[in-house]
Amino acid sequence: MQKKLLEVCLTPALLPLYKVEDYIVVIIDIFRATSSICYGIENGAQAIIPVSEVEECAAYREKGLNYLLAAERNGEVVAGFDFGNSPFAYTADKVAGKTVVLTTTNGTHALHLSRNAKKIVIGSFLNLTALSNWLKTQEENILMVCAGWKNNFNLEDTLFAGAVIEQLKGDCYVLDDPALAANDLFQIGKNDISQYLSKTSHGERLKKLGIEQDIAFCLQVDIATAIPVLEGEKLVKLA
Amino acid sequence: MQKKLLEVCLTPALLPLYKVEDYIVVIIDIFRATSSICYGIENGAQAIIPVSEVEECAAYREKGLNYLLAAERNGEVVAGFDFGNSPFAYTADKVAGKTVVLTTTNGTHALHLSRNAKKIVIGSFLNLTALSNWLKTQEENILMVCAGWKNNFNLEDTLFAGAVIEQLKGDCYVLDDPALAANDLFQIGKNDISQYLSKTSHGERLKKLGIEQDIAFCLQVDIATAIPVLEGEKLVKLA
Ligand SMILES: [Mg+2]
Ligand SMILES: [Mg+2]
């Protein structure tokens, strides 16, 4: 069997270095976009549409009541929107059968730059094993794209990439240096991911926003089995 | 005392995210440019001039016999040049009192992008402790810039950044996520750096070029105390 590539793009700024057409791309934005997306799709959202700007999100208001609009600024739900980016908003009673328009700067940027990939799926700790098992069945190169923080490296997204690699690594894949590093960082952090990530500056920032509960939620492993996949502009449940 | 920043730029592609004017920059290209530069300056080279292209290097030929020209392609010294990029060429009997023009793509790129920094110094395992001790005395933010591999992340440069952080970290500095990651990777690799790096694809590539001896040389710790610093276009010994 020919070996496949198992690689990690540490920030969207490095995506131009990859020929995304050759890969299945996994988008990772652990705090909180891709965690909320996985949870929402798991709970029966018909689709989730990621957009960059609050204004873009607001434009969906006119499309009717089946759209729920999610946007926050500085940790608060924007006035007139249905909810913010907390995964707790994506429960079945709220999202089942609905289309959610989600404002997420880093995540949308990563998605947009990856649009020519063979397929784009969404990863988070919530669907870690389901995602990894599906990836194993694909005879394709895999590129995990960390949304990062303001185009730079962050630990939480990289650690998750390392967690996927932990489940996939073996004779079938060739890892690049970022993948080796991500997997090693996961080895260091895996026994207490929350504790490991608490030392990051981003963790500090999130704590100040009062979203420790969101963070704890996003670090739950395998509470979902749905894999969101991009179809056109929409993320839907992989059949 | 006000805290200073201790940060790591994982590849030159991410340098635009930093305001380099606010930092002392340490350039890192372990295999082999910055190791050879540290060794050459230690051994009395008057100056080392890094250039990107073999043609630029060749142009110094006309400037006279005091210039030594170093360039290689595919692991071989380019015909008509004095030596290649092996650190073994930078011994006192060859370089003392001379100016060496060194062709190094990744390293020159990183230097060029950092040119507005407060100061630019050169790091390698060879001068690790001397460099770290000097950095400690500076009341400045520190940015370690990994030359990387084709603008992407590599393990050897990141590991070295982690080794410097290991000597500096403490109450005086605030580390960013790349710095935290670099230091954690150093913890994993430090007991046998050579073994740790042998798993990288780059390590494989270097072995094929038959430069295992160069690699072993570049991983020697603290065999030099000189710190190369950029003055104009030249790297000279920090007074
Ligand atoms: Mg994020
Ligand atoms: Mg290098």
Side-chain angles (χ1 to χ4, degrees), chain B residues 42-216:
Chain B
E42 179 79 9
N43 286 331
Q46 199 172 64
I48 296 180
I49 303 176
V51 298
S52 302
E53 303 292 338
V54 171
E55 293 68 27
E56 269 176 278
C57 186
Y60 281 87
R61 174 67 72 209
E62 292 158 22
K63 300 206 177 183
L65 289 176
N66 206 37
Y67 286 83
L68 292 172
L69 310 191
E72 64 179 53
R73 285 252 165 98
N74 303 318
E76 306 262 313
V77 176
V78 178
F81 283 66
D82 301 301
F83 42 81
N85 295 347
S86 169
F88 291 105
Y90 292 75
T91 50
D93 60 311
K94 288 191 189 130
V95 303
K98 307 268 189 181
T99 292
V100 181
V101 187
L102 167 68
T103 316
T104 161
T105 314
N106 296 320
T108 304
H109 185 52
L111 268 170
H112 181 71
L113 291 172
S114 306
R115 65 191 178 282
N116 294 325
K118 283 180 189 286
K119 204 173 278 241
I120 299 179
V121 295
I122 303 296
S124 71
F125 286 104
L126 278 53
N127 69 345
L128 168 62
T129 299
L131 172 68
S132 301
N133 286 340
W134 177 78
L135 288 170
K136 279 182 210 169
T137 67
Q138 304 298 303
E139 291 293 316
E140 302 287 357
N141 299 321
I142 297 165
L143 179 63
M144 278 173 283
V145 176
C146 299
W149 177 242
K150 295 186 175 175
N151 256 333
N152 209 336
F153 171 97
N154 77 18
L155 273 172
E156 67 269 20
D157 296 342
T158 307
L159 213 74
F160 174 75
V164 174
I165 292 162
E166 184 69 9
Q167 296 209 15
L168 266 65
K169 70 182 181 186
D171 294 339
C172 302
Y173 295 100
V174 179
L175 280 62
D176 65 352
D177 273 19
L180 291 166
N183 190 235
D184 279 340
L185 291 169
F186 176 69
Q187 305 301 339
I188 292 184
K190 68 183 176 185
N191 289 329
D192 191 342
I193 292 173
S194 176
Q195 170 64 28
Y196 181 74
L197 294 176
S198 69
K199 68 181 175 176
T200 71
S201 52
H202 195 43
E204 282 300 310
R205 200 187 65 86
L206 291 172
K207 266 182 222 153
K208 277 185 199 137
L209 289 175
I211 55 173
E212 290 106 317
Q213 286 186 314
D214 284 11
I215 294 176

Side-chain angles (χ1 to χ4, degrees), chain A residues 8 10-11 13-14 17-18 149-156 174-178 180-182 184-185 187-188 196 199-202, chain B residues 8 10-11 13-14 17-18 149-156 174-178 180-182 184-185 187-188 196 199-202:
Chain A
V8 177
L10 295 170
T11 98
L14 299 176
L17 302 175
Y18 297 85
W149 177 243
K150 295 185 175 177
N151 256 332
N152 208 337
F153 171 98
N154 77 18
L155 273 172
E156 67 270 19
V174 180
L175 279 62
D176 65 351
D177 273 18
L180 292 166
D184 278 341
L185 291 169
Q187 305 302 339
I188 292 183
Y196 181 74
K199 67 181 177 178
T200 70
S201 51
H202 195 44
Chain B
V8 177
L10 295 171
T11 99
L14 299 177
L17 302 176
Y18 297 86
W149 177 242
K150 295 186 175 175
N151 256 333
N152 209 336
F153 171 97
N154 77 18
L155 273 172
E156 67 269 20
V174 179
L175 280 62
D176 65 352
D177 273 19
L180 291 166
D184 279 340
L185 291 169
Q187 305 301 339
I188 292 184
Y196 181 74
K199 68 181 175 176
T200 71
S201 52
H202 195 43

